[in-house]
Amino acid sequence: MIIDVPEGKDPIGYVWGEMVPGIGVAASNFSLSVYSHSTLGLREFEAARLRIAQLNGCLFCMDWRTERDGAKVEPEFADAVTQWRTTDAFDERTRLAAEYAERYATDHHNLDEEFWNRMFAHYTQVEVVELSMSIGSWLAFGRLNRVLGLDAVCVLPDHSAGR
């Protein structure tokens, strides 16, 4: 971790809350709302989230599995996300979620008409906006945690409550 955290302080709470309370608390609320208010199916949600985690290299994010109503994706899911182009473990929505996450993070200037035609054949406009906001959150905050070294000490609350 490259940020000096006072002894006895939770690194995440300190960096996200105490260091920059005007920004960090709002960012935390946004991050938590992605989990609390998502209408996307668990598999497409996790495919996009895990692909961003893999690209960011965020240790905590790669280990985290979102739980909804007591369900999580299968243990092999992360490997399938890595191989989203060829895996037979995904339906088209899940595959598109992983593809969109990857392209959003690494090649957003080349999201062309062909891609959008495929995307809108399986997702509504509302779902695309929700997925885009979720991906943006994971990209920004997972990368922040990785760059600052917080990903090795990150412990978040269970986001499945209140679903």
Side-chain angles (χ1 to χ4, degrees), residues 74-161:
E74 64 275 10
E76 305 81 20
F77 193 83
D79 290 334
V81 169
T82 303
Q83 299 173 15
W84 63 263
R85 287 174 184 84
T86 58
T87 184
D88 60 2
F90 289 175
D91 64 15
E92 197 57 27
R93 280 178 60 96
T94 305
R95 187 179 316 282
L96 278 164
E99 178 183 359
Y100 185 42
E102 182 173 303
R103 292 180 71 176
Y104 186 105
T106 65
D107 194 26
H108 65 283
H109 289 287
N110 290 310
L111 291 169
D112 57 11
E113 186 175 345
E114 182 276 330
F115 170 78
W116 288 119
N117 287 338
R118 287 187 296 115
M119 193 71 174
F120 285 116
H122 296 277
Y123 284 88
T124 67
Q125 289 185 1
V126 169
E127 290 173 320
V128 168
V129 170
E130 180 180 331
L131 188 55
S132 300
M133 287 185 177
S134 297
I135 291 168
S137 169
W138 299 319
L139 181 62
F141 304 136
R143 191 160 295 179
L144 176 148
N145 287 338
R146 177 64 179 156
V147 166
L148 298 181
L150 299 172
D151 61 329
V153 296
C154 189
V155 177
L156 295 177
D158 180 2
H159 300 299
S160 63

Side-chain angles (χ1 to χ4, degrees), residues 51-67:
R51 191 65 194 128
I52 293 297
Q54 292 165 349
L55 294 167
N56 279 343
C58 178
L59 300 173
F60 175 80
C61 301
M62 288 188 289
D63 285 342
W64 174 265
R65 294 299 176 271
T66 303
E67 183 177 325

Side-chain angles (χ1 to χ4, degrees), residues 8-62:
K9 293 274 187 178
D10 168 61
I12 295 296
Y14 179 72
V15 172
W16 282 70
E18 292 184 50
M19 287 187 83
V20 289
I23 299 171
V25 173
S28 178
N29 286 335
F30 174 47
S31 180
L32 292 173
S33 73
V34 166
Y35 293 88
S36 299
H37 301 291
S38 180
T39 64
L40 298 168
L42 180 60
R43 291 182 69 74
E44 59 249 20
F45 183 91
E46 280 293 274
R49 189 196 63 73
L50 274 165
R51 191 65 194 128
I52 293 297
Q54 292 165 349
L55 294 167
N56 279 343
C58 178
L59 300 173
F60 175 80
C61 301
M62 288 188 289

